Amino acid sequence: MGAPNEPAAPGPELRRGVPEGAEGQVAALYWEAFGRKLGPALGPPETGRAFLAAHLRHDRGIVALDSTGAVVGVAGYQLAGRGLTGGSARDVLSVFGPWAGPPRLALLALLSRKPAEGELVMDGICVAAAQRGAGVGSLLLDEIAAVAAESGCTRIRLDVIDTNPRAQALYTRHGFRALRTQRTPFLRTLMGFGAVTTMHRAVGPLGRAHL
Ligand SMILES: CC(C)(COP(=O)(O)OP(=O)(O)OC[C@H]1O[C@@H](n2cnc3c(N)ncnc32)[C@H](O)[C@@H]1OP(=O)(O)O)[C@@H](O)C(=O)NCCC(=O)NCCS
């Protein structure tokens, strides 16, 4: 605890766009949160993090920066055919080769999501483990809603896996409602989850949820 007159430490600063030079930090955070799911497609971890960093689309992420400029949170989104994580089939084949590459491409296809008309798809929100529970994730979700509204979207969509009820609870508190759950028992051993729930939230002109 600080001294009585000590100013409170500033909260993280949100920034639209991944700053140049922060790709490695974003990839590390992303892998920490989603490495279990992404590992079979892009692992081992060092290779996966390098792939993510090399193909990040800077304009499709919102980051939270601490007072030293370190990235402590990121939320990626897909809009107009582009998402935060990139890399073409050719990139995957050039890293993993013509034999190991195709099955990895098939796994990536299983994980890929395409936004419908008027929709922003949030694909990947994560906060550094030491900073969780302090409101950073909520700030990122609010900013995603603002981006959706400013981009003329009427809806935000996301997917949450069955092993992550705390994240689902957070989304529900932010106005998301479950639309459907797809069972994926064939992915339980490989990627660690057995079902995916798709959640939606309507977006008003100011980015507020229509509750
Ligand atoms: C989910 C996550 C982005 C939320 O960010 P945050 O800064 O912790 O969120 P806030 O402080 O605004 O809100 C706290 C709420 O987030 C959720 N949450 C907290 N820790 C969490 C964790 N380790 N994993 C999942 N959700 C968590 C809970 O609903 C929590 O509320 P509670 O304390 O009443 O249970 C963050 O916890 C995280 O990175 N988790 C791991 C990655 C992940 O699960 N991403 C979502 C994939 S769909």
Side-chain angles (χ1 to χ4, degrees), residues 33-34 125-127 132-138 164 166-167 170-171 173:
F34 306 117
I125 179 170
C126 47
V127 170
R132 288 178 194 160
V136 179
S138 294
N164 204 349
R166 292 189 67 190
L170 174 67
Y171 299 142
R173 285 202 296 278

Side-chain angles (χ1 to χ4, degrees), residues 14-17 60-64 73-77 140 143-144 147:
L14 286 197
R15 191 173 298 178
R16 290 190 191 178
R60 290 296 187 262
I62 297 166
V63 293
V74 61
Y77 58 92
L140 288 168
E143 196 64 11
I144 285 278
V147 168

Side-chain angles (χ1 to χ4, degrees), residues 1 9 80 92-93 110 121 131 134 161 172 189 204 208:
M1 219 184 176
V92 173
L93 294 175
L110 277 179
V121 171
Q131 316 277 338
I161 56 180
T172 302
T189 310
R208 304 245 172 261

